Amino acid sequence: MLRRWVLYVLLLFVFGILVACGDDSETSGDAAGEGTTEEGQEETDGEQNRYAIVFKNTGNPYGEKEMEGFENAINELGAEAILRAPDQPTVEGQIQIIEELIAQQVDAIAIVGNDYDGLQPVLTKAMNQDIKVLSLDSAVNGDSRMVHINQADPEAIGRTQIQAVAEIIDNEGQFAVLSATSQASNQNLWIEWMQTELEEGDYGDMELVEVAYGDDLRDKSVSETEALLQSYPDLKAIVSPTTVGIAAASKVITDKGLQGEVVVTGLGLPSEMAEYINNGVSPWMYLWNPLDVGYLAGYAADALVEGEISGEVGDTFEAGDLGSYEVTESEDGTEVLLGEPFRFDEDNIDEWKEIY
C-alpha cells in the first residue's frame, strides 16, 4: 500500500512538472508573437516609399521606355516603383487606376495624362490625401498637379516640325498631321505651335489639309493614314508628332510603294524608325530620350516627397545622372524642362536604334 502511495505521489509530481513546462512554453510563444509584431511594426515604419507612374495605355513602346526610365530612377533611390497603364488611352481607365493607387496610399503619382482637365477631380483627391502628384510628357492642368516634367520646349517642337517638312517638300504642297488623341495636351500644344509657325513663316505654297487622330493605337493610325492618302491624292507629306503614328504612317507608305511620293516626319523612336529613315520614307525626324523623361520624373517625385521641392518657381533638385534641374514657370503652373529635341537621320540612326 505504501509503495502504491509513493508511486501515486511521484506521478502527481511529474505531471505537475509537465504542466508547468507547458505553461512556460505557451507564455514564451505569446512573448515571441509580441516580439514579432514589434519587429514587423519597425519594418512597416521603415518601409520603402512607393512611387507610381501611370502612362496613357499599354502596348506603347515609347511609354514602356518612359516607365523603364522612371523605374530606373526609383530603384537608384531605394524606393518601390509601381508601373500602371490602362488597356486603352482613356480618361476613365486612368481614373480607375489612380483610385486604386490612392487606396494603396502610395507616396507619389506621376501621370501621363489622357486628358488635360478630365483627371482633375481624382488627382485633387490624391493631393488632398498628401500624395504628391506630378505630370510628365502629356500634362494635366496646373490645378491637378504640383509640377510638370516637360520633355522639350513645346514651341521648339512645333516650329521644328513645320520647318522640317517645309525643307523636305521644298516649301510646296499639301501635308497632313497625324496626331494621337484629340485630348492629348502635349500633342495639341505642339500642333498649335505648328499652326503659328505656318502663319508667321514663309510657307505660302504649303497647305495643311487635315489633322487626323490615330489615338496612339497602331491599327487606327494605319487606318487614318490610309484615309488621308485616299482623301488627298496630291498629299506630299505626313507630320506625326507621336511615335505610334509616325511608325504606322511610315509602314503604310512603305507597303504601298510610295517612297519618293509621300514623305513622313515628326517624332519617332529610333529603333522603330531606322528602317524608314534608311529607305527614304522619313528623311529625318526628332525626339528626346523617353528613358530620360521617365528618369527625371522619378527624381522629381522623390524630391516632392522628401520636401526638397514643392513645385514652386526657383526650386532646384538633383536628378541622378542627369544632373541639376530647376523648376520654371509655364503657361499653366510650373514645369521642369528636360532639353531640346534631337534630330535623327541616316547619318546617326544606326547608332541610336540600338539604344531605344
Side-chain angles (χ1 to χ4, degrees), residues 218-230:
R218 190 169 300 277
D219 289 346
K220 186 172 183 184
S221 296
V222 166
S223 298
E224 291 295 328
T225 301
E226 292 173 341
L228 288 171
L229 294 173
Q230 184 174 0

Side-chain angles (χ1 to χ4, degrees), residues 53 55-57 59-69 243 269 290:
I53 182 172
F55 192 70
K56 294 179 178 181
N57 60 291
N60 185 314
Y62 176 91
E64 290 168 359
K65 290 296 182 183
E66 207 160 66
M67 290 192 289
E68 180 183 341
T243 59
L269 285 170

Side-chain angles (χ1 to χ4, degrees), residues 1-10:
M1 178 67 70
L2 179 61
R3 183 178 299 174
R4 289 181 181 177
W5 185 83
V6 171
L7 181 60
Y8 178 75
V9 171
L10 287 173

Side-chain angles (χ1 to χ4, degrees), residues 314-332:
D315 286 350
T316 60
F317 65 100
E318 294 294 322
D321 294 338
L322 294 178
S324 300
Y325 281 85
E326 181 177 351
V327 178
T328 59
E329 187 174 3
S330 65
E331 291 186 4
D332 183 13

Side-chain angles (χ1 to χ4, degrees), residues 59-61 178 214 216-218 221 240 242-249 267 272:
N60 185 314
L178 176 61
D216 257 356
L217 299 173
R218 190 169 300 277
S221 296
S240 186
T242 159
T243 59
V244 175
I246 192 174
L267 306 177
E272 293 188 328

Side-chain angles (χ1 to χ4, degrees), residues 103-114:
Q104 294 171 24
Q105 297 182 321
V106 298
D107 295 283
I109 297 173
I111 178 75
V112 184
N114 278 330

Side-chain angles (χ1 to χ4, degrees), residues 123-173:
L123 291 176
T124 300
K125 177 181 177 181
M127 289 189 288
N128 287 341
Q129 296 192 28
D130 200 30
I131 296 173
K132 308 304 180 185
V133 174
L134 65 156
S135 58
L136 67 152
D137 200 309
S138 180
V140 294
N141 69 47
D143 293 328
S144 302
R145 38 83 172 175
M146 302 175 71
V147 70
H148 174 62
I149 306 302
N150 207 339
Q151 57 271 60
D153 177 30
E155 179 178 356
I157 295 171
R159 290 185 184 274
T160 296
Q161 289 178 86
I162 292 300
Q163 293 162 5
V165 71
E167 183 176 347
I168 293 170
I169 65 174
D170 295 325
N171 273 40
E172 183 179 353

Side-chain angles (χ1 to χ4, degrees), residues 44-52 74 77-82 105-108 301-303 305-306:
T44 300
D45 291 342
E47 69 181 6
Q48 296 174 313
N49 286 336
R50 294 182 297 163
Y51 302 141
I74 302 309
L77 290 162
E80 178 185 350
I82 300 172
Q105 297 182 321
V106 298
D107 295 283
D302 184 68
V305 170
E306 296 299 329

